[in-house]
Amino acid sequence: MTTTAAPSRTSFAWRGLFLRLHFYAGVLVGPFVLIAALTGVLYALTPQLESWVYSDQLRVPATAQQLPLSQQVDAALATSPRGSLVAVRPAPEPGATTRVLFSEKGLGESERRAVFVDPGTGRVTGDLVVYGSSGVLPLRTTLDQLHRNLMLGEPGRLYSELAASWLWVVALGGLVLWVSRARNSKRIRTHGLIGVWVLAGALFLSATGLTWSAYAGENVAMLRTAVGWSTPTLKMPGAGESHGDHGSSTSSAGGHGEIDAVFGAAKLSGIDAKAVEIGLPATPGGAWKVAEIEKGLPTQNDSVAVHGGEVVSALKFADFPLGAKLTRWGIDAHMGVLFGWPNQLLLLLIGGGLVASVVLGYRMWWKRRPTNGFGRPAPRGQWRKAPRGALIGLGLGALLVGWFVPLLGVSLVVFLAVDLLLGRRVKTAAS
């Protein structure tokens, strides 16, 4: 007859530490993860719904011939928009409208007013506020803000950063607990099994989500700069600079008379993506920027600066540092646009798994909770049984991670304080 060796005192201590951390993080941060997962899934699944809701603005009968861009811009300007003309996005395909973009007082950060123009007839089909480099429309903007900050502005971003900060810790801690339970028990809980299945996706969403965060995001940017992985920027010659024999531009900020020649020069230089944005000069006599904005695979993010009818500088996505490319792909995959509907389906599965795992975790806690307390996931004092050297290393690692991901560090201190207060309460009640 074979016997199974009992787990060592040290391994039980480590499991107890992970269990306490997983318990407190799950109970206290679980609601934030749940909201982030639900709103994230909704955002990822709305491109098709957005196309249907705004079909009057986005779709027109396809025509064999299109008006010059300058005439399409004239049609938009004829509607007397209140803002200043800043950019144009030509129709990306037959049957789609051109977007003429205006800055406007009263709009939020990264918001612009888009006037939609039929490229075949010059008819204006409507105007909407669009958001971000993706130019998402109001429906997705609302879901994006709900996912990002609960529609509470900058203070609300703390919720999503807290969720992203702890998601990877909870996921990896859950993996440790699941493996240790699998070794010592034949019964594997559904909660843990779902967590293992969505582990890779949870780690990915946590890492990419932190790149957008307020505090950890700054540290991520500093790290990328330190290792030479920052996203390069296109050199934009300004007014009064010498551009060799390219001549001088007669356009001014807000003017659009050269847009046809600018677009033609950009296409001759190799700008060929289906989706392109033409940015007007930021200052009188400055250069135009023509950038590819196709976010799917293969990614087309080349850009050129055009001055005096000729390209004066260029930036190729192929020349981006590997880290910058990975950041671009990671963000686009996080948004569900990198590889089309399979990307959306994958996010649905990951988000659904996170929702199920959180709900099942709360169900487990509710069924096992004491009648007069918060709950005790493992006996106290497990840290005393762990090897001193390893414990010091874990503490130093926690300090480093807490500095790099500030909300994780602050909330970890809160968890420890809660644990100490609950322990003192138990001792007081027992005495």
Side-chain angles (χ1 to χ4, degrees):
M1 185 177 77
T2 60
T3 58
T4 302
S8 67
R9 179 181 178 183
T10 299
S11 63
F12 184 80
W14 282 120
R15 188 179 188 279
L17 285 173
F18 278 107
L19 182 57
R20 296 188 74 84
L21 180 62
H22 189 75
F23 171 79
Y24 282 115
V27 171
L28 299 178
V29 183
F32 303 108
V33 175
L34 181 64
I35 295 172
L38 286 171
T39 56
V41 166
L42 289 175
Y43 177 85
L45 297 182
T46 49
Q48 292 81 4
L49 180 60
E50 187 178 62
S51 298
W52 175 71
V53 171
Y54 303 109
S55 60
D56 289 344
Q57 290 84 9
L58 299 175
R59 308 305 302 178
V60 291
T63 56
Q65 299 294 326
Q66 293 189 354
L67 298 173
L69 273 180
S70 57
Q71 293 186 30
Q72 298 180 48
V73 175
D74 286 337
L77 290 170
T79 64
S80 301
R82 290 177 293 175
S84 301
L85 176 65
V86 292
V88 179
R89 293 190 175 189
E93 59 188 3
T97 53
T98 292
R99 299 188 186 190
V100 183
L101 302 169
F102 298 86
S103 63
E104 187 178 296
K105 289 184 178 180
L107 294 180
E109 184 180 359
S110 299
E111 290 184 339
R112 296 180 289 184
R113 173 77 60 182
V115 177
F116 299 86
V117 179
D118 184 337
T121 65
R123 178 177 64 90
V124 172
T125 62
D127 69 276
L128 295 167
V129 174
V130 297
Y131 174 79
S133 61
S134 298
V136 297
L137 302 178
L139 174 62
R140 271 208 289 173
T141 298
T142 299
L143 291 174
D144 176 80
Q145 295 302 319
L146 188 62
H147 177 67
R148 184 189 300 258
N149 56 35
L150 296 179
M151 315 248 345
L152 298 176
E154 196 64 23
R157 291 181 65 186
L158 297 179
Y159 118 82
S160 58
E161 183 168 354
L162 188 65
S165 299
W166 275 100
L167 180 56
W168 67 275
V169 179
V170 174
L172 290 178
L175 176 65
V176 172
L177 296 174
W178 184 81
V179 170
S180 65
R181 180 175 291 277
R183 289 176 179 172
N184 302 323
S185 174
K186 295 182 180 179
R187 187 165 61 93
I188 302 175
R189 296 183 181 277
T190 305
H191 166 77
L193 188 59
I194 293 175
V196 170
W197 278 107
V198 302
L199 175 64
L203 296 178
F204 169 78
L205 293 177
S206 177
T208 52
L210 285 175
T211 63
W212 282 313
S213 61
Y215 299 104
E218 292 183 1
N219 291 331
V220 171
M222 290 172 53
L223 178 62
R224 290 178 57 202
T225 300
V227 298
W229 279 10
S230 297
T231 300
T233 57
L234 176 68
K235 182 180 179 181
M236 295 296 295
E241 293 187 12
S242 174
H243 313 298
D245 297 328
H246 297 122
S248 60
S249 172
T250 58
S251 67
S252 61
H256 69 280
E258 296 182 60
I259 192 167
D260 299 316
V262 167
F263 194 26
K267 288 190 287 187
L268 286 175
S269 73
I271 296 294
D272 62 352
K274 182 172 64 174
V276 173
E277 178 170 305
I278 306 168
L280 274 72
T283 58
W288 298 64
K289 179 180 180 180
V290 184
E292 298 173 342
I293 53 176
E294 185 67 45
K295 297 181 179 295
L297 287 178
T299 302
Q300 293 180 277
N301 279 170
D302 295 351
S303 58
V304 296
V306 180
H307 190 272
E310 295 188 31
V311 172
V312 294
S313 65
L315 179 62
K316 303 293 185 182
F317 183 73
D319 297 330
F320 279 26
L322 176 61
K325 291 179 179 177
L326 292 176
T327 300
R328 176 74 271 161
W329 291 328
I331 290 174
D332 292 339
H334 189 114
M335 296 174 64
V337 298
L338 184 60
F339 44 95
W341 67 263
N343 197 162
Q344 295 175 281
L345 178 60
L346 183 60
L347 289 177
L348 173 62
L349 294 175
I350 296 172
L354 289 174
V355 169
S357 185
V358 171
V359 171
L360 289 173
Y362 274 112
R363 180 174 179 270
M364 290 167 53
W365 168 68
W366 185 259
K367 293 182 67 174
R368 298 167 60 184
R369 78 192 192 288
T371 57
N372 61 348
F374 184 69
R376 191 177 68 174
R380 301 180 60 82
Q382 298 299 317
W383 62 273
R384 298 188 183 93
K385 304 173 187 177
R388 184 62 55 86
L391 198 60
I392 293 174
L394 182 64
L396 292 175
L399 287 174
L400 179 61
V401 173
W403 167 81
F404 192 79
V405 188
L407 284 191
L408 175 64
V410 172
S411 53
L412 178 58
V413 172
V414 173
F415 293 167
L416 292 174
V418 170
D419 192 44
L420 289 173
L421 290 174
L422 290 175
R424 180 169 298 180
R425 177 185 175 188
V426 171
K427 287 185 180 179
T428 303
S431 60

